[in-house]
Structures are given as structure tokens and as C-alpha cells.
Amino acid sequence: MGAGQWYLRSSGGNRAFQFGNSADKITPGDFTGDGKTDIAFWRPSTAQWFVLRSEDGSFYAFPFGSPGDIPVPADYDGDGKTDAAVFRPSELNWYIQLSGGGVIVQQFGAFGDKPVVADYDGDGRADAQEFGLRCRRELRWFCLFR
């Protein structure tokens, strides 16, 4: 597997570093709640999440999901932290591991849909778990708000 090369350009300057590999799925978000985006990825072969903390450059890893899932991280509970989440297309289930504890499982969608996560109703929480939009083959959008 090739290296996962990251290139960052910010007001603090430019950086380049290796974190992950070419098969990993990029999943940046504020997992630590410090107001800055953490570099992160989900490894499909093992369903492991890897987060490089923005505050000190250390990293941590944890399992969540299964091979074949699609990572859909976002702040689903409005606490200011990105929650690990996956959409399982084989079951049409959303699995959300809340940063404050607990897991939500919600079914939503139709086979062939694609998860599209965002805060569509402006309440400070991502609408995707089962809440979410998926673009169906008919090019129609369906959204379930939580």
C-alpha cells in the first residue's frame, strides 16, 4: 500500500506529512472538540478510525464499523465534536458512535442511495444518521431530520 500523504496550507504555514495509506478513507473532523479540524482516516479493511489530534500531534485509534461500510463522520448530537459514524449499504443502516457515549442505529434509504451528511435544518446537528440525504438513481433527494 502506498503512503497517505497529507499537505496542509493554513495561516500558520505549510506542512506535509504521512499518515495512513492510499486505501484509507479520509475523514477529517473536530473529534477532540478543540475547535480545530483533526486529521483523520477510516481504514476499510479493519474498520479502524485513526485521529491525529490537532492540539498536540499525538494520535489515537479505535474500532467502529465493518468492512464494506461507508464512513460518514459529523457532529450528530450538537456537542461540538465529530462523531464516528458509518452507513452500511447492505442493510441501509446508519451507525453513529456519539462522542459523549452511546451508539445510535437507524435505518434509512434505499439500495443504491449515497449518504450525504450535513446540517440541513440549521439546528447544529448533522442530519444523517438515518437523518440524511441520499441521492437516489432517480436523482431525487430524501432527507430525514432528527
Side-chain angles (χ1 to χ4, degrees):
M1 300 256 166
Q5 193 70 26
W6 294 78
Y7 298 93
L8 301 178
R9 181 179 176 162
S10 69
S11 58
N14 299 330
R15 289 182 22 190
F17 56 93
Q18 191 272 321
F19 187 60
N21 66 53
S22 61
D24 295 334
K25 302 295 181 190
I26 298 169
T27 60
D30 186 5
F31 288 88
T32 59
D34 68 348
K36 298 178 187 175
T37 300
D38 302 305
I39 301 297
F41 65 85
W42 184 74
R43 184 158 289 157
S45 61
T46 63
Q48 288 275 329
W49 294 77
F50 295 83
V51 178
L52 184 64
R53 291 180 181 95
S54 60
E55 57 268 33
D56 63 11
S58 65
F59 85 93
Y60 65 98
F62 59 94
F64 189 71
S66 296
D69 289 349
I70 299 170
V72 288
D75 184 4
Y76 291 94
D77 55 7
D79 68 353
K81 294 181 181 179
T82 299
D83 303 305
V86 295
F87 173 64
R88 189 162 297 155
S90 63
E91 302 172 354
L92 302 176
N93 281 334
W94 293 75
Y95 294 85
I96 300 171
Q97 183 176 18
L98 299 173
S99 58
V103 174
I104 296 172
V105 179
Q106 182 72 46
Q107 191 172 62
F108 180 64
F111 291 106
D113 285 356
K114 305 288 183 219
V116 182
V117 180
D119 179 8
Y120 293 100
D121 58 3
D123 66 355
R125 298 181 306 175
D127 301 308
Q129 164 202 11
E130 182 35 27
F131 7 76
L133 283 180
R134 281 174 256 334
C135 181
R136 295 182 45 176
R137 291 185 188 151
E138 298 86 19
L139 298 178
R140 295 183 189 162
W141 291 89
F142 297 89
C143 188
L144 176 64
F145 298 104
R146 182 174 161 213

